[in-house]
Structures are given as C-alpha cells and as structure tokens.
Amino acid sequence: MSTLQLVLAQINLLVGDIPGNTDQVVEVARRAHREHDADLVLFPELTLCGYPPEDLLLRASMQKRIDAALATLKEAQLPCAVLIGYPRVVAGTVLNMAGLIQDGELVAEYAKQKLPNYQVFDEWRYFVPGEQACVVNIKGIPTAITICEDIWHPEPVAQAERAGAKLMLNINASPFHRGKAQQRQALLGRQAQAGNMPIVYVNSIGGQDELVFDGGSFAVDADGTLRARAPEFVESLLPVTVTADDNGVRLAPGNDAKPLEDLASVYQALVLGVRDYVNKNGFKGVVLGLSGGIDSALTLAVAVDALGPDRVEAVMMPFRYTSDLSKNDAADQARRLGIHYRVISIEGIFDAAMQALAGEFAGTERDTTEENIQARSRGMLLMAISNKKGFMVLTTGNKSEMAVGYATLYGDMVGGYNALKDVPKILVYELSRYRNSVSEVIPETVITREPSAELAPDQVDSDSLPPYEVLDEILRLYIDLDHSAADIIGMGFDEATVMRVVRLVDRNEYKRRQSAVGVRISERGFGRDRRYPITNGWEAGQ
C-alpha cells in the first residue's frame, strides 16, 4: 500500500507581491511538513502573482519576476513537494499554469484548459488555453493536475481518466457568492464519480477589491463522499491522507469544518472584504458617517468586526431635520461597540453654502438641490477627516439605493470602499438581525423604525421608492436575472412601478460608475459583473 500525505494550503495572497507570495509558499510548505509530515502541499491558482492580476499580466517584467520566484522556490531546499500556480509565457502567449516542484526541480507543468469569460472573469483577455492533460506519478499514484474552471467541465476530467489518472488535484482562486460552497461540493461529487477518482480541491481566501475568496477547501472520494473540509474565510492547513492499493485510491476521513449558514457566510464575506481592502492598501483605519439608520449601523458593525474598535471612527453629522431618535441610536451603538465617536453639526456649512449660492438660487423653489447640499456637506467633513488622519472613508449605501440612484454623488457616495454595495435593503435588515444574534450591537429601534434619509421634514424612503420588498424583487429580476420589463410585468408586478424602477436603473449607470468599490456577494454585482454603457439609446421596456 502507498500513502501520500497532502496538505491544502488555504492562504491569503496579495496580488502583485510576487516576492511576498513566494516567501509565504516557503514558510507554509515548511510548516506543513513540520506539523503534518506533508509529502506535497497544494497552493491556490496563480499563487505567485495572486488572483486576479488583471493587466499586470501585460507588464513586460511579469515573466522575469515569475522566473525569479520559481528559481527561489527551487533553491529553497523545501522539505516536501509543492504545487503552485503562476502565469507562464510560452512562444509569445501566456498560460495559466500549475507547476509541481520537487527536490529542487520543476518536474511537471499543466496549463489551464477551460478559461472562464463570464461574470467577474475575463481570462480570455490574458491567457490562451492549454490542451493536454498532465498526469504525474506521485509516490506511486498517477495524479492529474487541473486548475479551477477545468473542474466545472466534463472534458478535463475525462481526459485525465483516459490518461490513467487515479487522483485529481485542483487548485483554485474561486470567489464567493451566496450558495457557492454548496455548488462546489455538489459539482466535485459528480465529477469524482464521473472520473472514478478522488478529487482534492484547494481554494484561496482573502479580499481583492470587490472579490472575496472564501476558502472552504475540501476533498471528496471517488464515490463523491466528502472526506475533509477546511473552514471558510480563514487561513488554514488541511491535511488529506491518500492511500492506494490493489483496490484503488481512497481518502482517509479527516477534519470536517462545518459550512456556515447563509447569513453567517455573507456577513463573514463583508468582514473579510473590508479588512483586506483596508489592510492591503495600508490605511490606518476607517471613518464613516453614523446616521442612526440601518445601513450605517450594519456598516459600523462590519467595520469593527473587521478592524477592531480602535481603528474605527464614526461621526454623527446632524442637521435640523435629524431626529433625536437618530442621534440617540447612533450614540448608543457607538457606546456598545467602543469606537471613537464624534458629533459635528453641518448647520454652519449648509448655511454658508446657501449664502454663497443665494444669487444663483434667486427666484427658484426649494427642491432636492438643498438636500444634496446637506449630503455633500457631510461628505466634505468625512473626506477632510480622512485626509488629515489617514483613515479611509467607508461609505454606506446599499445595492437597492445604488441600483436606482437613491444617493448623492460627492455626498453620501464619497468614500474608498462600500461594504454594502452588493447587499439589497431587505438583506441589510436580515444581516443586522443576524449580527445581533451573535451579540446585540445594533439598537433594536434602528432595525424596526421606517427608513429615512432625513433630508427633509418627516421624510421617509417610501416617499420616493416602492416598498423595499417590491423594489428588491424587481431589481433582482431585472439586474441579477436579466429579465425584461415586459417579463417582470407579466409576473404580476404593477406596470407603472416596474417601468419607473427599470428606468431609474438604466438612467443611473453614471452614478454607479463613480461609486466606491465594494464587496461582491451575489452572482451579479455592480462592478466587474455588470458593464453597461452610460450613454445609450436602449429602451427600458425591452
């Protein structure tokens, strides 16, 4: 009987930091051998440059840096073999490559065959596909190497089986969206059965701009049975023991980190996305406007869970329309979370702006212009604090608002990052209740009161928008599922409401294009997923 000790290195990489990522491979490989007696350590897709490197792949120096990193790994006298990902230029074209380094030599390479070009992926811009299976003998076990998208298609698995593989290794940089973990496990179970071989799947973790990689690395036996699983959203080493004898190749039962429930996984994605964006970009911390409303309340909870209270500052910026309830709720939440909290009125700023604009506004009626000046006064204060203290502004708008333009450019939209950018309003409430089930950090009145921007007397969101239960479902059908207005009306929604909503969505692309980057949690976020022209003549009803 032959035994192969694998370790799945679920690690957090920094895009572009090739020396730092290489050092991490060396350190983790040594630790995996020391702690788990690893024969082979599996690392994520494009380990050395991080994923997605985007147009860094077009830099002439990329290959020189990758070659230097590979040389470092070959000279590092690693105590075990490592399987790593990197880009490789071959005959003037770039391949998404996986390489097996053993005893100081690059003994095998595999080029990714299935290049995703949908949703957030555009690998056809950079890579050409490989064509050949790669099956290498590792401690007597014929082992196929594949990369991420390969496992979502039948051909690479069938090709590896025909080449004699009895075990498959799959390295990934697979970003999170709701339900993705369940999709992966079901898929690998089917593919393992189809190829009649165990499949071992390692995934990256960490935030990269709008993407969050959730980890959840795992291994399934040839019959699709789950044998080991790593935790989600944290770095970890997952040992997987492979045995081979005359009866075939099998995986021994190992650690099984139970998957998170839906709301818990979404919340952890938000936390990790904020933490890595702030830390990887070198900010001291974050500052945000705390209004006493639900969106800023949830954003504050996420920020504190991501960074700790000492790196979070919140500012209540009241105006004559701000209710005492909002002021009290904001102060209460700040106290519960132990953050740095300030109150700065915008009355004087607003009055000075109105005085300066008196001539321009003469003879006009009061309208949303004055409301926008309130929002921009707050934005100015937050950006001034950011500039002076080196704290990034965390903006707080949700997906429902961003979809229909219910936000002010250069006002409440100012900021470097938005935790809630892909979170619909109803989900904001669900996540707030989830967070309070862990510990009650959001005052109950924030969750139960009717939402309001408080930019005018007695203003509530429903003055300008349909009920969020209706709005969010229309937005899901129109944005996430690409249904036409006519289709949505045919499902029983009020025609006037549908037409108004889809026109707002189409008309406000210019705002979304100028909005802060934010965490993606759905299969159709505003960002890499959805690329619509600002200037166009498309009819909303089509």
Side-chain angles (χ1 to χ4, degrees), residues 29 42 78 114-115 140 144 187 196 265 314 370 388 414 450 542:
L42 280 62
L78 297 177
K114 300 298 182 180
L115 303 177
L187 171 75
N196 192 31
S265 68
E370 286 78 9
K388 186 63 69 174
V414 303
E450 188 169 2
Q542 295 176 342

Side-chain angles (χ1 to χ4, degrees), residues 234-393:
V234 294
E235 293 188 82
S236 70
L237 298 181
L238 177 67
V240 176
T241 302
V242 185
T243 60
D245 55 24
D246 293 341
N247 295 317
V249 177
R250 297 175 303 281
L251 306 182
N255 298 333
D256 183 8
K258 297 301 180 185
L260 297 173
E261 297 292 336
D262 177 54
L263 290 178
S265 68
V266 172
Y267 190 83
Q268 289 305 318
L270 302 181
V271 168
L272 182 55
V274 169
R275 178 186 299 135
D276 274 7
Y277 192 85
V278 171
N279 289 341
K280 289 180 178 181
N281 285 292
F283 289 101
K284 296 177 182 177
V286 296
V287 58
L288 59 92
L290 189 61
S291 68
I294 189 75
D295 298 320
S296 63
L298 178 61
T299 301
L300 178 60
V302 168
V304 172
D305 288 339
L307 304 171
D310 290 343
R311 297 179 66 195
V312 178
E313 181 171 340
V315 186
M316 157 58 80
M317 294 168 283
F319 190 59
R320 62 200 65 160
Y321 307 130
T322 305
S323 67
D324 288 340
L325 179 60
S326 293
K327 297 173 187 176
N328 293 338
D329 281 344
D332 185 15
Q333 186 181 7
R335 178 189 56 77
R336 296 185 191 198
L337 288 168
I339 61 163
H340 303 285
Y341 178 68
R342 299 287 184 273
V343 177
I344 306 175
S345 172
I346 64 166
E347 291 281 354
I349 300 172
F350 178 86
D351 290 344
M354 292 302 295
Q355 181 177 353
L357 291 164
E360 295 293 328
F361 288 4
T364 66
E365 296 294 325
R366 197 177 189 90
D367 56 18
T368 57
T369 304
E370 286 78 9
E371 296 181 9
N372 290 339
I373 291 173
Q374 295 171 52
R376 289 173 180 139
S377 298
R378 294 182 172 112
M380 183 189 70
L381 289 174
L382 290 173
M383 287 308 302
I385 294 169
S386 172
N387 294 160
K388 186 63 69 174
K389 296 186 175 181
F391 275 34
M392 184 192 74
V393 177

